[in-house]
Each structure stands twice: as structure tokens, then as C-alpha cells.
Amino acid sequence: MALGSVAIARIHKPTKEEFEQNFLSPQKPCVITGAIDDWPALSAWTINYLKTNIGDTIVPCRVSQNDYFDNYHAHKQIKLAVFLDWILANEQQNAWDVIFHKKNKTKYFVGSLDIPTYFSEILADITIPNYFDSKLLTSQNLWIGQGNNRVNLHYDFFHNFNVQIVGQKHWFIFPPEQSSFLYPHPWYTKFFWCSQVNINQPDLQKFPKFSEITPLEVITNPGEILFLPSGWWHSPVGIGTNIAVNFWWRMNLKEIVNFLSLKVLNIRPHII
């Protein structure tokens, strides 16, 4: 795969109408800047702040023997404070790892945890962005990674606003029309919304068509929102300790029809 850099539009604090006309209606991803500058979370959400305010909450934590996290990895139930202590220790350990060429194989990652359900204590630190009908909101989730953590390539059924709070994320993004190059799992399996390709180490003998496409790439910084329309494939990589919030909201009927049409046209060759 040729990892090129194709620009994704950045737009500063668009109106709702501008966003709908230029990005939501044509189903184009973009990065929105300046829209959440008043969020308390941007200044308050340190690891120690989260540990103090929500550290006693029991959460599912994903476990991996490297930096790659997919949906097949084991989960363990732990106090969030235990995970956050590991994040702090990992920040200190990284420097020693470089000096002694040592790498701790076991990695941990927390993500897709609905904030009203798990962490109501910090819900007031964020505000639902005023770019979509709040009645269509399905969840607002917290994500925390230690850096260099990659989530497997997949698409979401819902539109996605991913808001970076701490650190950065490097995103690798593919449009729905390239689904046939990404080798989705068969539609009748549990993970049909995930690619079989590990884009860290793609097996081009097994997945040769993957080499024919180039992802869109973008880095999101604190205070920026990445809009990903439903059906767009993505694999984010954390840069440094990273904290993010994402909002998923449902499609309207017209969008659902378009989405299903793309899925049938692009995935069907892999299931017949």
C-alpha cells in the first residue's frame, strides 16, 4: 500500500448549514476547528483529573500483546484508575525503553465507553456539537490510549464526530467505494464491519488488491473534530497519550438507502 497524503478539508467553525451542504449531504469527511474551544474538558482532562473524578469506575479494558487493537482481543474488567496508573507509568517507562531497547509487550486500551452510562461525573465538561439533530444521537464515548495504539480498520454504521482532547491521532481513511479492496469479513460473520487486512503489516499475497489503493490521511490535534460519514473505513493511531470523545448519530432514511446500496455493491463480491 502506498501511504500517500491526500488532503482532507479543514474548516474553521462552520455554520450548521455550511457543514450540512458541504460535508454531511455529500458524505465527505472533514476536520472542524474552533467549534469546541469553550469545552472545560480541553483544559481539565488530564490523566490525574480523570483518575480523581472517575477512577473508581469499573470498565472493560482491551488487552493486546502489541500496539494493535482489534475487536477480537481480550477484555478485562478493571478500575479505570488502574488503567490510568498504567498510562502514567508507561509515560515514564518510554524513555527507559528507548535507552535499554526494552519494550513491554502487553498493552492496554480503553474505548467506546458511553460517558452518560459510565462517567456521568464528567459529562458537564463536554457539549454535544450543534451540527446535527440531537434526537439522532446514539452515544457519546470516551477513548484513552497510551500512544502508538492502533485500532483495526473498520467502518461505523453511524455518522461519527471524533473530538481530540489530549494528544493527537493519525487517521488512515478509505471511502466506502473502496470496500472491495479492503476485504471485509463476510456479511454473515460477527465482524462483517471490519477489514481482514492488518494495515500495520498487510499480507499482500492474501489481500493483493489492498496494494492498489491509497488512504486519505489526517492528523487531529486537541480541540479539533474529525467528521467521518457512516460507511467510511478508518484506522486511527494514537500519538502520545491521547484522550478523545466521539459522538455517533443515526442516518436519515435517504442516507440509509445510499449506505445499504454501497454495501451491497462493494461487499457482495466477497460473499458469493
Side-chain angles (χ1 to χ4, degrees):
M1 175 180 61
L3 289 182
S5 188
V6 182
I8 288 179
R10 288 180 179 269
I11 181 168
H12 182 74
K13 208 171 184 178
T15 65
K16 184 177 181 180
E17 292 72 24
E18 288 172 332
F19 170 71
E20 289 178 348
Q21 179 179 349
N22 297 318
F23 301 102
L24 181 58
S25 292
Q27 300 288 281
K28 291 169 55 179
C30 68
V31 173
I32 298 173
T33 63
I36 61 159
D37 289 347
D38 59 346
W39 275 23
L42 288 176
S43 57
W45 282 17
T46 63
I47 295 297
N48 283 320
Y49 174 87
L50 297 181
K51 183 179 175 182
T52 298
N53 287 276
I54 57 175
D56 287 338
T57 306
I58 304 295
V59 300
C61 179
R62 306 184 195 186
V63 183
S64 173
Q65 293 307 307
N66 49 49
D67 295 311
Y68 184 76
F69 291 85
D70 58 29
N71 293 285
Y72 332 120
H73 277 115
H75 290 60
K76 62 187 300 184
Q77 298 289 327
I78 61 172
K79 277 191 176 182
L80 184 66
V82 173
F83 169 75
L84 296 175
D85 281 339
W86 178 82
I87 291 280
L88 292 171
N90 188 69
E91 290 177 348
Q92 299 173 0
Q93 186 64 36
N94 279 342
W96 292 103
D97 289 348
V98 170
I99 294 172
F100 294 108
H101 304 287
K102 178 184 176 183
K103 190 170 184 180
N104 182 2
K105 290 184 178 181
T106 304
K107 304 291 183 180
Y108 305 95
F109 177 67
V110 164
S112 196
L113 298 180
D114 185 60
I115 295 173
T117 301
Y118 284 93
F119 312 118
S120 59
E121 300 91 337
I122 60 172
L123 187 58
D125 293 341
I126 63 175
T127 305
I128 299 172
N130 188 32
Y131 287 110
F132 56 90
D133 185 350
S134 61
K135 294 178 182 177
L136 298 176
L137 181 70
T138 64
S139 61
Q140 40 195 321
N141 305 293
L142 181 65
W143 304 76
I144 309 174
Q146 88 284 5
N148 203 39
N149 49 291
R150 180 190 286 275
V151 176
N152 66 307
L153 184 62
H154 66 284
Y155 67 84
D156 299 323
F157 301 103
F158 306 120
H159 296 314
N160 187 353
F161 262 17
N162 197 286
V163 184
Q164 197 65 34
I165 306 296
V166 173
Q168 298 173 301
K169 279 200 181 79
H170 186 172
W171 295 81
F172 298 83
I173 301 168
F174 300 87
E177 56 266 26
Q178 292 184 344
S179 292
S180 62
F181 296 85
L182 300 175
Y183 300 89
H185 287 278
W187 66 271
Y188 49 83
T189 62
K190 183 177 180 180
F191 298 110
F192 65 92
W193 46 279
C194 297
S195 170
Q196 299 178 64
V197 181
N198 178 344
I199 68 173
N200 269 1
Q201 298 175 321
D203 184 342
L204 297 181
Q205 288 190 333
K206 190 174 182 180
F207 309 117
K209 292 176 65 177
F210 186 67
S211 65
E212 299 175 26
I213 56 175
T214 300
L216 303 174
E217 296 184 46
V218 70
I219 291 176
T220 50
N221 303 299
E224 296 182 342
I225 303 171
L226 174 64
F227 166 58
L228 285 168
S230 64
W232 280 70
W233 296 84
H234 52 282
S235 176
V237 182
I239 302 175
T241 297
N242 52 93
I243 303 172
V245 170
N246 91 293
F247 300 86
W248 277 315
W249 77 96
R250 296 188 300 274
M251 297 176 282
N252 59 37
L253 182 59
K254 181 180 177 181
E255 292 169 342
I256 291 173
V257 171
N258 290 337
F259 173 81
L260 292 176
S261 297
L262 281 172
K263 292 297 105 183
V264 169
L265 289 173
N266 289 291
I267 295 180
R268 187 172 177 78
H270 290 279
I271 61 176
I272 61 175

